[in-house]
Amino acid sequence: MQVFKFGGASVKDSEAVINVAKVLKQVHKDSKLCVVISAMGKTTNALEELTNAFFYHTGNPSLILDGIKKFHFDICNQLFSSTTHPIYQDLENTFVELHWSIEDEPTHSYDFEYDQIISIGEVLSTKIVSAYLNSVNVNNTWIDARGLIQTDNTYRDAIVDFDLTESLLKKSVTPLFNQTPIIITQGFIGGTSENFTTTLGREGSDYTASIIAYCLNAESVTIWKDVPGVLNADPKWFNHTKKIDELSYQDAIELTYYGATVIHPKTIKPLQNKNIPLYVKSFLKPEQEGTVIKNSETRLNIPSYIFKINQVLISFQPKDFSFIAENNLSYIFEVFSKHHVKINLMQLSAISFSVCCDHDQTKINSLVEELQTAFKVLYNTNLELMTVRYYTVDTISSLTKNKIILLEQRSRFTVQMVLQNEVGL
Ligand code: ASP
């Protein structure tokens, strides 16, 4: 059995969906295949906007919902020759469900409401792609991941119960393969034991592919992207990028942990545990080799660059001028975890603890507010975090030109720097 994952860009419009069928016809032979699909294009962002309009009254929920509806029905109109195709009724029913969830005032937490609304993006996309594939003789069966990927109730960042998920997947998916060669399901979403919907964190569809591969002992996972494979830097920020042909699990874990966005950071570990290779390939040129991530001792022979903007550097100093000791640290970490703020880099000195994280205004404000009672809190915004794995001295000096290094950490293989632009000082 193999697992494929198609992200939002690969199903962003009708042409892209037609291309998915082309890729499957070209590369899928006889083996059993589970295809994990994300929401179409920027639908998750639009649904986030809808959630905010519903919860915080930041806009008109009905107008936003109409836009999302139109986007999906327009794609269907280009894919199906008649509006009598059952997909139209199926989508209508899904939109009625979505409408219901925003009809009354919110009664649960923001994170709970967010997951119930956001998850619909994946439900819509998989229904459309599955129906289209069946209409062009790529026979498949659609299944609902919410009843299979079992999680706890940490809404927006749910933790997967691997044992339960494995037994559910084996019970329901394995027999389905006797009737159908391809199974289509949603990435990113799961469900609790009380049947509420959860999500696995933004861009979490890669992780879904990895969970399914782990639970069903797949031969391989392939993530289909609009780039030729894993590159040594994001082409959005760097001009001369190189494709990496082979990457060890260890390097892939490090690079994604530091913020390489090509694969979701949680994807690699389950695959490494079962020694399942992960291929990253182009859905535009499926015949090309791409990158393979596997068990390997080979270290990368070129530097890899990871660049994160919109960073904040926060320093905590105990108000009573005592040292930063274990008790202070454990309290600080507890508050970070409570506010779901992820730490990208940290450094400790005698009387101060500094942390670099993504500048999510709402989360950072509530975190700082809580910690301000015990600590003097200082912070700098608008910063960049640069990570270079397998760095050389030359790479560092070229990257820090016209920048002020506010904090730097070097290990044998990796250097990380929190940078501020000199301009504007
Ligand atoms: N649709 C979700 C997102 O945009 C999950 C994914 O695409 O992986 O974050």
Side-chain angles (χ1 to χ4, degrees):
M1 203 269 292
Q2 287 178 295
V3 180
F4 281 3
K5 182 255 167 174
F6 288 95
S10 61
V11 288
K12 69 177 195 308
D13 51 28
S14 58
E15 272 173 43
V17 176
I18 293 168
N19 184 61
V20 169
K22 200 176 117 198
V23 172
L24 291 178
K25 281 184 177 163
Q26 190 174 332
V27 301
H28 176 242
K29 301 293 170 234
D30 301 320
S31 79
K32 297 165 186 160
L33 178 65
C34 183
V35 182
V36 173
I37 302 176
S38 301
M40 295 178 138
K42 300 273 178 246
T43 301
T44 307
N45 292 352
L47 286 163
E48 241 174 32
E49 210 192 308
L50 175 64
T51 313
N52 291 339
F54 164 62
F55 202 88
Y56 294 124
H57 306 288
T58 50
N60 182 337
S62 306
L63 272 185
I64 302 168
L65 182 55
D66 285 349
I68 297 169
K69 236 176 138 173
K70 182 173 180 323
F71 171 73
H72 287 88
F73 278 113
D74 280 352
I75 291 180
C76 286
N77 292 342
Q78 282 151 15
L79 291 175
F80 303 97
S81 50
S82 157
T83 50
T84 57
H85 191 288
I87 185 65
Y88 284 87
Q89 193 51 50
D90 205 358
L91 292 195
E92 280 295 354
N93 296 343
T94 312
F95 277 113
V96 167
E97 251 178 72
L98 187 52
H99 203 263
W100 281 343
S101 45
I102 59 163
E103 214 169 34
D104 299 321
E105 281 300 304
T107 46
H108 293 82
S109 71
Y110 177 80
D111 290 353
F112 174 89
E113 302 284 3
Y114 178 102
D115 279 0
Q116 313 317 303
I117 296 172
I118 290 288
S119 51
I120 300 300
E122 268 66 15
V123 175
L124 294 166
S125 71
T126 48
K127 286 193 168 179
I128 296 173
V129 176
S130 166
Y132 175 72
L133 291 177
N134 277 324
S135 76
V136 292
N137 297 325
V138 180
N139 296 331
N140 72 87
T141 303
W142 179 93
I143 58 167
D144 194 330
R146 292 170 292 188
L148 298 169
I149 308 292
Q150 286 296 293
T151 73
D152 70 354
N153 57 4
T154 316
Y155 296 100
R156 294 184 70 184
D157 198 12
I159 300 185
V160 175
D161 180 333
F162 271 84
D163 290 338
L164 196 52
T165 302
E166 180 169 335
S167 76
L168 285 168
L169 280 170
K170 282 191 170 146
K171 224 184 321 162
S172 56
V173 173
T174 313
L176 266 187
F177 275 127
N178 296 328
Q179 302 153 29
T180 183
I182 300 178
I183 284 169
I184 306 265
T185 196
Q186 309 77 42
F188 178 55
I189 69 176
T192 67
S193 53
E194 277 119 22
N195 285 330
F196 290 118
T197 304
T198 50
T199 62
L200 308 176
R202 287 299 307 263
E203 310 297 333
S205 295
D206 295 346
Y207 184 38
T208 304
S210 155
I211 296 163
I212 294 175
Y214 175 93
C215 292
L216 296 178
N217 296 314
E219 280 153 44
S220 66
V221 174
T222 306
I223 295 183
W224 296 95
K225 310 243 352 157
D226 54 1
V227 285
V230 177
L231 307 176
N232 73 327
D234 186 336
K236 200 160 81 188
W237 307 112
F238 293 85
N239 286 333
H240 305 289
T241 56
K242 289 195 185 120
K243 180 176 81 76
I244 297 164
D245 295 334
E246 189 183 309
L247 198 57
S248 66
Y249 289 124
Q250 194 53 42
D251 275 339
I253 287 173
E254 296 285 347
L255 293 175
T256 55
Y257 173 79
Y258 290 129
T261 51
V262 64
I263 308 161
H264 189 278
K266 286 183 179 169
T267 311
I268 314 291
K269 202 72 192 77
L271 302 180
Q272 183 187 29
N273 285 8
K274 288 227 172 146
N275 211 356
I276 300 169
L278 171 63
Y279 297 92
V280 179
K281 296 180 96 177
S282 159
F283 58 75
L284 299 167
K285 296 188 172 133
E287 64 290 346
Q288 291 188 352
E289 283 287 303
T291 299
V292 57
I293 299 168
K294 59 179 196 175
N295 198 3
S296 155
E297 294 297 309
T298 331
R299 275 194 218 134
L300 273 180
N301 54 8
I302 47 167
S304 284
Y305 305 92
I306 300 139
F307 188 55
K308 285 183 131 220
I309 56 162
N310 199 19
Q311 298 293 297
V312 54
L313 184 64
I314 319 174
S315 298
F316 303 97
Q317 299 173 1
K319 280 194 171 157
D320 57 2
F321 293 101
S322 62
F323 289 145
I324 282 270
E326 286 71 14
N327 56 337
N328 288 323
L329 287 175
S330 82
Y331 171 60
I332 293 174
F333 285 133
E334 215 174 276
V335 178
F336 268 77
S337 149
K338 180 174 148 196
H339 293 275
H340 302 287
V341 177
K342 292 197 172 120
I343 296 174
N344 295 332
L345 182 74
M346 54 190 165
Q347 202 163 60
L348 189 60
S349 77
I351 53 154
S352 157
F353 178 57
S354 302
V355 171
C356 175
C357 30
D358 295 350
H359 193 188
D360 178 325
Q361 189 95 43
T362 329
K363 285 184 187 173
I364 299 291
N365 284 353
S366 50
L367 172 112
V368 167
E369 199 180 310
E370 182 157 354
L371 285 168
Q372 244 162 0
T373 51
F375 301 92
K376 182 176 172 197
V377 182
L378 302 167
Y379 64 95
N380 260 307
T381 56
N382 249 325
L383 306 177
E384 295 158 1
L385 174 64
M386 169 67 74
T387 305
V388 189
R389 184 143 169 94
Y390 301 122
Y391 62 92
T392 62
V393 178
D394 289 352
T395 51
I396 296 176
S397 52
S398 70
L399 292 167
T400 52
K401 225 165 116 196
N402 302 329
K403 310 257 181 194
I404 299 163
I405 305 175
L406 297 187
L407 201 144
E408 179 174 345
Q409 257 175 30
R410 284 186 202 210
S411 66
R412 211 155 33 118
F413 300 127
T414 308
V415 61
Q416 288 199 286
M417 290 168 293
V418 180
L419 303 170
Q420 185 172 45
N421 280 322
E422 261 178 8
V423 191
L425 265 188

